[in-house]
Amino acid sequence: MASFPAPTVWLKHPAAIFTANNADAKNGVVIQGTTIIELVPSGQQPKVKVDQYIDCSPYIITPGLINTHHHFYQTLTRCVPGALNQPLFPWLKFLYQVWKNLTPEMLHSATQLAGLELMLSGTTTVADHHYVFPKGLENGIDIQVNAIQALGCRATLTRGSMSLGESKGGLPPDSVIQTEDVILADSQRLIDSYHDTSDDAMIQIALAPCSPFSVSKELMEATARLAEKNEVKTHTHLAETEDENSFCLREYGMRPLDYLESCGWLNERSWLAHGIHFTSSEIERLGKAKVGIAHCPSSNMLLASGICPTVELERAGCNIGLAVDGSASNDCSNMIQEARQSLLQQRLRYGAEQITAQRVLSYATTGSAAVLGRKNIGQIQVGFQADFAFFSTYELRFSGVGDLIAALVTCGAHQVDKLMVAGKWLIEDQQHTQFIQSELMQQHQALANSLQAKVN
């Protein structure tokens, strides 16, 4: 049977467009199938033959936003009373007693709800760090793959792990950790089963021991070797709090970054969540190694952890990506709002001239793509994937605006009207095309109530 080329579609006359690379696409973008084939400059018409067009005059268009760090399961434990108003270590100690009761049904529901929440805020590529594996949840990442594929967005799903329980001086209870042999074998299985190396990949796998205070040094070293063998990324929490510095000095006789380097992680394959408490010399080492940083402003403020030194890290050579972090340490999975939080937080340290709306939007697009090692998303550019967020200008918050791109951040855009991933409409009229939002919420809330009732 003869195959016919996909139609060319002109996304015509947007109210404003952020390309993330300063390209002129003020008169829109032409896509064909999954790919951008032409940018249409101001006052011009497409050069290619257009089969159809969509009037985008009500919309501000951006590349699909890219989240670089999350814990989807934590949507089940937002604002749990026993964890409120606590710094990281006491917060974790309390919530581990809740999370040890997670079930497969809970993880599936939480993954879909968190993924949909991100998508509604303009996200087309999600990254999740799942590291809690109580009995019965051994196939947790498979559950997440299934949930994400139904949503239709792209994802980097990290095979998290914890091997250092309370009985051996770690922070988590022994009931949620696994042996190193089990972790490494499952990591290889997941890479073989799901990791797509193609430029237009929908699902990729990374390896993600949780943190210095919940995994052994042997597991960190073995994970680095396994990731190098399979050419996949590595991810972990690092330098989030001063407590972590104290733990590493006490247990390993070195600071977190020295520990990371001793485990074979100080390289371009790695990206780190938070990255707050580094010295100037450590920042230089990170930049030289091209380590990526997942910048999590809301979580860092809510837990009073500190402020990521983004400007110094970027100047040193690190890629900076944006992240909402887990829903229990942010209680909100909204990427466009996270860009605003970054702008406000970072201006406290660096001032208004350095921290612009365009800079924090770049963290959420080009920066995040670089952190995840994705080469053809995060920009509106010929040959890149047709991943777009469409924010309606018909909201009270945008009335009177002069610069619509700046307004996305400073006026507090909250939700997309439309979302396209790989040329497919997944959100239209603020609703997912395949999911009934109220039904998902009802199921998720019931499961959250059940989980929180098991606190002991």
Side-chain angles (χ1 to χ4, degrees), residues 144-432:
Q144 290 197 295
V145 169
N146 177 269
I148 288 294
Q149 286 177 333
L151 282 174
C153 61
R154 302 182 198 276
T156 296
L157 297 173
T158 73
R159 205 302 179 180
S161 54
M162 296 194 293
S163 64
L164 193 66
E166 287 178 316
S167 64
K168 295 183 179 179
L171 208 63
D174 289 356
S175 62
V176 301
I177 68 170
Q178 295 176 303
T179 66
E180 291 161 13
D181 287 345
V182 166
I183 291 164
L184 294 168
D186 193 53
S187 296
Q188 184 65 63
R189 179 187 68 83
L190 290 166
I191 294 168
D192 292 341
S193 299
Y194 301 117
H195 183 63
D196 185 352
T197 60
S198 63
D199 286 343
D200 61 351
M202 298 302 292
I203 299 288
Q204 293 194 326
I205 300 294
L207 305 183
C210 183
S211 62
F213 45 83
S214 58
V215 300
S216 67
K217 190 172 191 291
E218 291 75 18
L219 180 61
M220 288 291 287
E221 293 170 338
T223 299
R225 292 192 295 270
L226 188 64
E228 183 177 13
K229 171 189 168 186
N230 288 278
E231 298 184 347
V232 299
K233 301 279 284 184
T234 51
H235 181 49
T236 192
H237 298 89
L238 202 81
E240 183 177 0
T241 67
E242 291 291 1
D243 285 343
E244 182 186 313
N245 285 339
S246 300
F247 179 92
C248 287
L249 287 167
R250 183 175 68 250
E251 296 296 323
Y252 304 116
M254 61 185 87
R255 285 174 56 83
L257 187 63
D258 297 320
Y259 169 74
L260 193 78
E261 185 171 25
S262 74
C263 295
W265 277 60
L266 195 60
N267 54 59
E268 194 171 359
R269 183 171 290 111
S270 300
W271 90 95
L272 310 175
H274 304 292
I276 298 169
H277 298 284
F278 292 124
T279 66
S280 57
S281 62
E282 288 172 340
I283 289 171
E284 290 302 314
R285 289 163 59 195
L286 285 161
K288 186 176 180 180
K290 303 297 182 185
V291 173
I293 304 293
H295 166 43
C296 310
S298 292
S299 172
N300 297 159
M301 289 188 285
L302 192 143
L303 294 175
S305 301
I307 299 176
C308 178
T310 57
V311 171
E312 287 90 347
L313 285 162
E314 199 169 18
R315 284 175 180 165
C318 292
N319 291 309
I320 307 295
L322 194 64
V324 299
D325 198 14
S327 292
S329 64
N330 179 344
D331 297 320
C332 176
S333 304
N334 190 304
M335 270 295 284
I336 193 64
Q337 287 280 298
E338 200 66 35
R340 188 172 193 268
Q341 293 285 64
S342 177
L343 179 101
L344 299 176
Q345 182 207 57
Q346 293 290 305
R347 281 188 174 185
L348 291 175
R349 171 169 285 188
Y350 300 113
E353 291 185 356
Q354 287 198 76
I355 307 300
T356 64
Q358 287 75 12
R359 185 168 194 159
V360 295
L361 286 172
S362 292
Y363 290 160
T365 52
T366 52
S368 288
V371 164
L372 296 183
R374 298 299 301 261
K375 297 179 179 178
N376 70 341
I377 60 173
Q379 298 181 46
I380 297 177
Q381 184 177 138
V382 172
F384 275 50
Q385 288 290 289
D387 294 3
F388 303 103
F390 297 76
F391 296 89
S392 174
T393 59
Y394 295 158
E395 295 186 26
L396 292 176
R397 73 184 76 232
F398 295 129
S399 182
V401 160
D403 184 328
L404 284 168
I405 301 301
L408 277 179
V409 178
T410 59
C411 295
H414 184 79
Q415 188 170 18
V416 292
D417 192 70
K418 299 177 182 293
L419 189 78
M420 177 182 285
V421 181
K424 296 180 181 178
W425 294 110
L426 296 184
I427 304 289
E428 293 194 80
D429 299 322
Q430 301 185 356
Q431 295 291 324
H432 196 285

Side-chain angles (χ1 to χ4, degrees), residues 73-96:
Y73 75 90
Q74 292 182 8
T75 58
L76 295 158
T77 53
R78 300 194 230 224
C79 294
V80 175
L84 289 173
N85 309 318
Q86 297 288 334
L88 180 64
F89 275 28
W91 177 87
L92 278 171
K93 292 283 281 185
F94 178 85
L95 285 171
Y96 277 139

Side-chain angles (χ1 to χ4, degrees), residues 420-450:
M420 177 182 285
V421 181
K424 296 180 181 178
W425 294 110
L426 296 184
I427 304 289
E428 293 194 80
D429 299 322
Q430 301 185 356
Q431 295 291 324
H432 196 285
T433 56
Q434 301 298 319
F435 280 81
I436 299 175
Q437 186 171 311
S438 59
E439 292 181 359
L440 179 58
M441 288 173 59
Q442 184 178 18
Q443 178 205 45
H444 180 271
Q445 184 63 63
L447 291 168
N449 292 343
S450 173

